[in-house]
Amino acid sequence: MVEEKAKKPVAYSYVRMSSKQQIKGDSLRRQLELSRKYAAEHDLVLDETLNDIGVSAWTGDNLKDGALGRFLKLVSEGRIKRGSYLLVESLDRLSRQQVRNAIGPFVDIINAGISIVTLADRQVYSEATVDENWTQLMMSLAIMSRAHEESQIKSQRLKE
């Protein structure tokens, strides 16, 4: 991870793909390019080490054994500074679990003073934005629910 002694705020790009086969496609390039563009536009130091390739957000493996889990541990230990950013393509990269399981880490990150930025729609979820506009939190719950339902349907189709 980037040195925490950086003078500018640090943005951590979180790239996740559920299967290693997806690395052959455009997902990795697309996710990193979005992060690089956002960091450059906002004068942020970019850390590109948070990668969960072939790690499931449906089962929560990205939280248990993956890079996102290690990031959350650093957040809880105070080793990721308040004012930092977590850049994700969309909220479904963080979790595809049931909403009651997905919301905890999301809120923990925000409560630690780290802003979550969804690059596809340019939403910024922070203590200030969520406190000022509580409907933003409701929308995030709807997005998390949709992500879970989408994964559940895919899982059922594969079983059939």
Side-chain angles (χ1 to χ4, degrees):
M1 295 211 165
V2 170
E3 279 295 315
E4 286 299 315
K5 295 176 184 171
K7 301 219 185 250
K8 298 178 187 178
V10 178
Y12 298 88
S13 175
Y14 178 61
V15 173
R16 191 194 61 74
M17 290 172 260
S18 55
S19 77
K20 291 184 180 180
Q21 286 190 331
Q22 287 176 314
I23 199 104
K24 296 175 186 172
D26 193 43
S27 187
L28 178 64
R29 183 207 57 80
R30 184 185 66 245
Q31 290 180 62
L32 286 173
E33 186 175 293
L34 287 168
S35 291
R36 290 170 182 152
K37 183 177 178 184
Y38 188 90
E41 288 171 1
H42 294 86
D43 200 27
L44 305 170
V45 174
L46 185 63
D47 181 308
E48 296 181 5
T49 62
L50 288 175
N51 298 306
D52 277 330
I53 311 300
V55 181
S56 176
W58 163 254
T59 61
D61 287 347
N62 63 329
L63 291 169
K64 293 178 226 161
D65 305 316
L68 186 59
R70 290 188 298 277
F71 177 81
L72 288 168
K73 185 173 191 290
L74 293 171
V75 168
S76 70
E77 293 171 350
R79 294 174 56 195
I80 303 289
K81 291 182 182 178
R82 292 182 70 78
S84 296
Y85 294 78
L86 179 63
L87 308 180
V88 295
E89 183 177 37
S90 61
L91 288 181
D92 67 355
R93 297 289 173 188
L94 295 178
S95 181
R96 287 183 168 259
Q97 292 184 291
Q98 289 278 4
V99 173
R100 66 180 170 74
N101 295 318
I103 193 67
F106 175 79
V107 172
D108 289 346
I109 292 168
I110 293 168
N111 285 342
I114 290 128
S115 297
I116 299 172
V117 178
T118 52
L119 300 167
D121 60 5
R122 293 290 181 122
Q123 286 291 305
V124 177
Y125 301 88
S126 67
E127 291 171 314
T129 64
V130 169
D131 287 348
E132 290 170 11
N133 181 8
W134 60 269
T135 60
Q136 188 185 39
L137 190 55
M138 289 181 61
M139 287 302 298
S140 68
L141 292 171
I143 292 166
M144 290 175 197
S145 177
R146 181 201 46 82
H148 174 73
E149 289 169 4
E150 185 179 287
S151 288
Q152 191 171 27
I153 289 167
K154 287 179 185 177
S155 176
Q156 288 170 346
R157 287 181 183 160
L158 285 172
K159 288 177 185 175
E160 292 175 2

